[in-house]
Structures are given as C-alpha cells and as structure tokens.
Amino acid sequence: MSRSGRPTDDKPLPPLYAMTHGGIESTAADEITRDLGGEVKKTARGLVVFRMEQLTDKVLSLRTTEDVFLMAWGSDSLTYKAEDLDTLRTWTARKPDWEHLFKLHHKIRPKTKGRPTYHIVCQMQGEHGFRRADARTAFTEGLAGKIPNGWHYNNENAWLEIWLTIYSKTAVCGVRLSDRTMRHRTYKLDHVAASLRPTVAAAMVRLAGIGPGMTVLDPFCGAGTILAEALDVAEQRSKAGKVRVVGGDIDPNAVFVTSQNLENVGRADLARWDATALPLETASVDRIVSNPPFGKQLSSIEKIGPLYEAAAEEWDRVLKPGGRAVLLAMEHEGLKRVLQSHRWAQVRQTRIRLLGQPSVLSVWNKPEW
Ligand SMILES: C[S@@+](CC[C@H](N)C(=O)[O-])C[C@H]1O[C@@H](n2cnc3c(N)ncnc32)[C@H](O)[C@@H]1O
C-alpha cells in the first residue's frame, strides 16, 4: 500500500524511456510499438519515450535499446544557464512519486540477498553554464529523504540505479530497469577489433525485414554480432519456416571468435572466405546485412574503393532479384557509387557514429529484373 492507502497497482503507470545509440531511435521506436505493444510518445536523439499499459519484464527483451527506465521526470526546456540547477533539484524533490517508482522497479528486479544497494548516475553532454559535478550535487540534494533508510550507496552492481541524463536542452530522470546485459548481451564472450554494438546490429537486422524461410548473409562477419542478432530473429521466425544464417571473414581468428560467440545462440553456416569470391550460389541469398571494413582498418585508404567494387560485384551476384541489403559503412559515398552502378536503389539512409567516426547505415533494394 502507498501512503495514500491505495494499492500501488491502482496508480497509473508512469511513462518509460529507452536510451538508444544515436541514429537508431526510430528503429527502436518501431520495436517498442510493434513487438512490445508500447505507445511511443516522443523520440529525440538517442531517446524514445513511451507508455505501456502494464509493466512486465518483456521490456527487458528489447534488442535495439541500450537501457530502459521508468521515468521520474523529463524536460526539453533546459536553459543552459545555472538556474537549471534549481529546476533539477526541485523537480527531483517534488515531481516524482519515488515510492511508487521503487515498487514498480522491484516488480521487474526482485531484491537480491543482503541489504538493498543503490547508485546515482548523472550524465551530461553539450555546453551548459554549469558543470556535471554541479548537476550531480543538485540531483543528489533533490533526492534527499527519498531513498529508504537502510539502503546502502554502492558504485558497483547496485540493485537500484537512479539516473539523470542531460543532453543539450533535454533532461530525463528515472529508475533504471535494465542491466548491462541489455546492451552487451550474454553471448558476446569474445571480441575482434571494430566489433559492432549489439543494439546497432539488432537495428540493422530489424531493418532487413527477415521473413520465414529466408537466407541471411554477413560476408564480413568479424566477431559475428550481426549473425547473432539474425539468429535471434531466426529463432522467432522458425515456426513459420527455417531461416538460414550464413557468414564468414577473411581472418581465421574472426571466424573462430564468431563460432565461440554463436555457441549458445544458434546454428549458422560459417566459413573463412574472401568476400570478393564467395563460395555461394548465384541468387541464393535473400538479405545481406553487413558492416564492411573501413579505410583505416586496411593498410591504406586507397584499398577500400577496389574492395567495395569487388565485394559489391559478389553481393549483386548472390543476392536474389528483389533482395535487400542493410549496410553500415564509414566510406558511404564510395559504397553508394558502386551500388548505384548495379542499379540498386537506396531506400533509407541514417547517420550514426561508429567508433567515434561519422558513418552511414543504409538500406538497399536490388531490382526485380
Ligand atoms: C568492420 S569489421 C566487421 C565487424 C563485425 N560486424 C562485428 O560486429 O564484429 C570488418 C571485417 O571484415 C573482414 N575483412 C576484411 N577484408 C575482407 C575480405 N576481403 N573478405 C572477408 N572479410 C574481410 C575483417 O577481417 C573484419 O573482421
């Protein structure tokens, strides 16, 4: 029961928000709407605010989000001035029903043994007339008296985390429902250089629109992140028709790392190959989802053009007419020229940052004839 005497479950559910890698929020919004049944209220760079009728642990199964929170309060009208500190303090102190938020949190994350532990996180990006440390102090002051007696502050693996995120004039504050396994997954035991974030790979797989009975290819698989996300979709589609997941890399270590990472995920056909001479039949693949190497990874930037040309030749050969490709590349313009020369049509283009570098996620359709 709450202080008002009403059972907690009678209170309306507060909004939730998800943090995403910048650039994939619309794909996350689509997942939240179609797979979770949520109602998206707002999207901003790296943020999706949504409502659910009921709170269940299904929110933790989202693939394209980095973290999910119960919203305490949100604002998109920060002034960038020091007065914002008063707003942060007062809103944190007065707006949320913290007791209700904590009870909802416990439903999704039952208490572990021992004393309850909590952690306060304050993130800030963009130029403001105050420092992040000042924002954190104001936030902590606003939380005074809200944390039940007996809870212990803990920096590491706390049971409950209260976050304040400030990004330009937007601020969101909430209780974190997810933990690190949402963004890192449990399958990623081994890495290779330039391995993708699983949530970005999941967004690419989602944009590919994998249907029952399809064959999906990643010719430059690295640590197998895209293949793992494709296998997750394959698992969901398998009742209607088996999805075949195929991948390879020129580096034998990458193929080994991929096989390790996929061990507990599902079965993919893996091979060590040169993507410019794929051992695959003509018109045998329905979807290509890939993150080809970028100039800086090769010995020289000049090598990237010829590699893209030769790889695109193979993609055009193995992809069925009407098939689709989802690609993530830093040298997008070069890739675009090559794919257009094969008459592929670009249907979507999104800017995202990859390893701190501007990159483009693009979706392509191969013509039917
Ligand atoms: C950007 S990484 C892919 C990362 C991958 N998406 C992941 O999440 O780990 C590009 C990969 O292409 C591989 N590669 C480079 N040239 C290749 C070629 N000619 N054929 C096949 N793979 C190649 C590299 O070994 C590297 O693993």
Side-chain angles (χ1 to χ4, degrees):
M1 299 286 261
S2 67
R3 274 196 207 116
S4 66
R6 278 188 299 163
T8 311
D9 285 342
D10 277 359
K11 291 188 179 178
L13 194 62
L16 291 104
Y17 63 94
M19 304 248 229
T20 73
H21 188 75
I24 62 169
E25 44 288 315
S26 61
T27 312
D30 180 68
E31 185 186 15
I32 288 167
T33 310
R34 293 205 286 150
D35 295 10
L36 197 61
E39 189 189 346
V40 171
K41 293 290 180 190
K42 180 187 159 81
T43 55
R45 185 93 185 154
L47 177 75
V48 184
V49 180
F50 62 103
R51 281 197 172 272
M52 299 287 302
E53 268 182 20
Q54 275 188 346
L55 182 64
T56 67
D57 61 4
K58 220 178 144 204
V59 289
L60 303 181
S61 62
L62 287 168
R63 306 291 291 187
T64 57
T65 57
E66 299 270 311
D67 268 306
V68 178
F69 300 80
L70 284 163
M71 184 177 268
W73 61 263
S75 165
D76 49 17
S77 52
L78 291 190
T79 62
Y80 297 93
K81 296 186 191 140
E83 290 115 71
D84 286 342
L85 295 173
D86 283 334
T87 314
L88 305 180
R89 188 183 302 108
T90 331
W91 285 22
T92 304
R94 299 205 192 132
K95 284 216 169 202
D97 180 347
W98 287 108
E99 193 186 336
H100 182 47
L101 289 170
F102 293 159
K103 282 199 174 138
L104 290 167
H105 165 270
H106 308 345
K107 253 179 76 174
I108 302 297
R109 306 206 72 88
K111 199 175 90 52
T112 44
K113 269 197 195 140
R115 279 210 184 184
T117 51
Y118 73 100
H119 184 44
I120 294 173
V121 177
C122 176
Q123 297 176 321
M124 187 163 106
Q125 273 184 50
E127 287 284 309
H128 292 82
F130 49 89
R131 296 170 310 154
R132 187 168 68 96
D134 305 326
R136 190 189 161 85
T137 304
F139 181 39
T140 309
E141 285 166 3
L143 282 170
K146 310 292 179 195
I147 314 280
N149 288 335
W151 287 20
H152 265 269
Y153 191 80
N154 198 340
N155 273 333
E156 295 286 324
N157 298 324
W159 168 54
L160 183 139
E161 291 181 11
I162 309 170
W163 284 45
L164 170 65
T165 304
I166 302 172
Y167 180 74
S168 301
K169 61 184 172 61
T170 302
V172 275
C173 172
V175 177
R176 189 184 186 199
L177 293 176
S178 49
D179 65 12
R180 60 182 300 284
T181 58
M182 176 173 264
R183 59 174 79 187
H184 296 299
R185 310 288 199 251
T186 45
Y187 63 75
K188 239 177 155 178
L189 305 172
D190 278 321
H191 281 272
V192 297
S195 193
L196 274 185
R197 291 175 93 89
T199 61
V200 173
M204 294 172 71
V205 165
R206 190 168 184 89
L207 289 168
I210 298 170
M214 285 189 178
T215 295
V216 186
L217 163 71
D218 181 356
F220 299 101
C221 75
T225 324
I226 290 171
L227 299 176
E229 296 303 319
L231 280 168
D232 183 70
V233 173
E235 176 74 17
Q236 296 157 29
R237 303 281 187 277
S238 62
K239 285 177 208 102
K242 211 166 160 36
V243 176
R244 183 175 170 228
V245 175
V246 185
D249 200 285
I250 202 161
D251 175 359
N253 183 52
V255 180
F256 173 71
V257 165
T258 295
S259 68
Q260 297 281 99
N261 283 339
L262 299 187
E263 204 154 73
N264 298 318
V265 182
R267 221 195 77 79
D269 295 341
L270 298 180
R272 182 187 167 244
W273 63 35
D274 181 344
T276 63
L278 292 169
L280 300 172
E281 299 276 314
T282 297
S284 59
V285 166
D286 300 271
R287 298 289 184 259
I288 294 172
V289 187
S290 197
N291 162 216
F294 37 91
K296 283 189 187 151
Q297 227 183 358
L298 300 175
S299 52
S300 86
I301 191 102
E302 288 76 38
K303 286 194 179 164
I304 207 72
L307 175 65
Y308 282 4
E309 261 168 47
E313 192 82 32
E314 277 300 77
W315 298 345
D316 192 49
R317 183 182 68 78
V318 299
L319 191 63
K320 292 179 186 170
R324 185 180 300 169
V326 180
L327 304 169
L328 179 56
M330 286 182 196
E331 289 86 2
H332 177 68
E333 285 309 312
L335 194 62
K336 193 169 168 178
R337 258 194 311 280
V338 179
L339 294 177
Q340 282 172 342
S341 75
H342 288 285
R343 297 189 305 114
W344 285 24
Q346 185 177 303
V347 290
R348 188 179 171 127
Q349 170 172 328
T350 311
R351 291 188 180 284
I352 77 168
R353 286 189 88 76
L354 200 62
L355 306 166
Q357 302 291 321
S359 309
V360 174
L361 197 171
S362 56
V363 182
W364 297 83
N365 287 343
K366 177 177 169 175
E368 291 280 356
W369 47 269

